[in-house]
Every structure is written in structure tokens, then in C-alpha cells.
Amino acid sequence: MSKSATSLIEKESRIDAEGNVKASDKGVIVVLVGASLETVKTKKGYELLTADTHGSILKKFKKDPKDYRPDILHQCLLTCLDSPLNKAGLLKIYIHTRRNVLIDVNPQLRIPRTFKRFCGLMVQLLHKQKIRASNSTQVLLKCIKNPVTQYFPAGCSKIGMSVTGELVDVRDWVHTLPENEKVVFAVGAQAHGVAPADFVEKFISISQYPLSGSVALSRLLYAFEGKFSIL
């Protein structure tokens, strides 16, 4: 059998009858915590509240602009969903917002590349509670019940990412983890501060320098792709 045929069979084996990626015993669960997703009504209708666009509104209500950066979540989602780890069916993503909204992200979601379109999609999600694919009944994004821990496999490790955590070489560190168990990572989707997740058992740092959420995720996922021999 050719290499291309084998690859096609493996890809099809990871998709269920409804078009969703099947669960695997191994893999990574990423919870993007502290995400800023909040709508505001303007003369143009409902919009996603952002520091760049709605500075006067934030100033009026004495809100810190640093707390309204949904562009950070957008960057993190692009990094995760575009990763080979996700395309191999070994990544699951949840979003937990500052307003305690929990969102399930379908691994097959194609997130809008532009921030303007991303904002429109998030407004639609927050108002309708779910987003379906345009050409099928498949749900790509949906608001689900808290707490997020109820969706974790029993006994899995729960790791937080912070520059103040234990410094590790992530390329070596991932090989110390059990081979056939999922690992949960809480990654901050906010401008500053430690990832706000009370389920975390320990924190690690993967660089001696502060990293953006997107860069930290890129390094983390690349390490796991090496562990699982994903090219």
C-alpha cells in the first residue's frame, strides 16, 4: 500500500460518522483561560468589546483596556487550530472567558483569518450559544456548562503555563509524561498575569523570557508533535 493511501486511511479512521474527530487515549487538552469575550450595543448594533475600537466606552465605565483584548484569543486559536497536532486529531480546545462562559471548540473549526470577521463570529456565538457549519448540522462552537473539569479524563495531569513556574526544556519534558494519557494545559488568553485556573496542579515555564500565549502554545504543541512523531 502506498504512503498516501495509508495516510488517507489513518485520516478517515479519526473521523466519526458525524464528521467529528474521534477521541484518542493520548493527546493534549488546552484550556484558553481569562479570554475577553463581551458584547456591547452601539449605533451599529452589537459588537465585540475591544480596547482599540471602544476606548471611549471603557473609559466611561472606568474599565482597564488591557482586560479587553479578544485579539489575543484570536491569535491563540489560529495557532492551535492550524497546528499539525490538531490536524492529527490529538488536540482538544476549550475557552473560558472572564465572564465565566465556557466554550467547546470543534477541532475542525476554520477560524476566520481576519480579526473583524472573528469578532462577528464571537458576537453570533455569544447570542446564539452555538455556531453550526454552513453546509451541515455539525456544531463548530458551542457554549457548554461549567466547570470545564467535568470534561477532562479521570486522573489526567493539569498543568498551568506561567513565566513564574518551574523552568523546563519542553522538548525533553514532554517525554517524561505518560505515553497514552491526555494532559491538560491552562494557557492565559489575557494581556498579563497568571492563567486564572483553579484546577491547575502545577505551573511550568517553557522559556526564561515572558512569552505571548500564541508563542507559548506554538512551542508547546511543537514539542508534543515531536513526542508523537507528527511531521
Side-chain angles (χ1 to χ4, degrees), residues 28-223:
V28 176
I29 299 172
V30 168
V31 186
L32 299 171
V33 296
S36 173
L37 289 179
E38 187 175 337
T39 61
V40 61
K41 190 173 184 180
T42 70
K43 294 179 181 179
K44 299 178 182 179
Y46 283 99
E47 298 179 353
L48 197 65
L49 192 56
T50 72
D52 288 340
T53 308
H54 307 103
S56 59
I57 295 176
L58 296 176
K59 185 176 181 180
K60 178 181 178 180
F61 291 100
K62 298 180 180 179
K63 301 289 187 180
D64 187 348
K66 293 180 181 178
D67 293 334
Y68 295 87
R69 293 282 310 280
D71 57 295
I72 297 174
L73 174 63
H74 184 221
Q75 294 165 7
C76 290
L77 284 173
L78 285 171
T79 297
C80 289
L81 292 168
D82 283 352
S83 69
L85 189 71
N86 182 60
K87 293 174 180 179
L90 296 176
L91 177 62
K92 178 62 187 173
I93 308 163
Y94 296 99
I95 302 167
H96 189 256
T97 76
R98 294 177 63 249
R99 297 191 66 121
N100 201 34
V101 176
L102 182 62
I103 301 166
D104 182 310
V105 181
N106 189 313
Q108 292 187 291
L109 170 68
R110 296 183 64 183
I111 204 75
R113 316 310 281 185
T114 66
F115 183 58
K116 183 177 180 180
R117 290 183 59 209
F118 170 77
C119 289
L121 182 69
M122 291 300 105
V123 170
Q124 185 180 352
L125 170 65
L126 293 173
H127 287 190
K128 294 186 176 181
Q129 301 293 292
K130 67 175 61 175
I131 299 291
R132 295 184 184 275
S134 58
N135 56 353
S136 72
T137 59
Q138 184 181 27
V139 177
L140 300 176
L141 288 164
K142 62 181 176 180
C143 297
I144 57 177
K145 292 183 179 180
N146 281 292
V148 68
T149 50
Q150 69 182 300
Y151 307 105
F152 297 165
C156 66
S157 299
K158 306 170 191 69
I159 312 296
M161 307 267 299
S162 170
V163 70
T164 61
E166 177 190 353
L167 183 61
V168 300
D169 185 333
V170 70
R171 295 165 296 184
D172 296 329
W173 181 80
V174 294
H175 291 282
T176 68
L177 299 171
E179 187 67 30
N180 292 313
E181 291 182 13
K182 285 189 170 66
V183 184
V184 176
F185 290 92
V187 180
Q190 75 273 27
H192 57 85
V194 177
D198 56 10
F199 59 81
V200 168
E201 298 167 338
K202 67 175 289 187
F203 283 92
I204 64 167
S205 173
I206 60 174
S207 175
Q208 58 189 313
Y209 305 107
L211 302 176
S212 67
S214 177
V215 171
L217 282 165
S218 181
R219 297 189 71 173
L220 177 70
L221 301 183
Y222 181 73

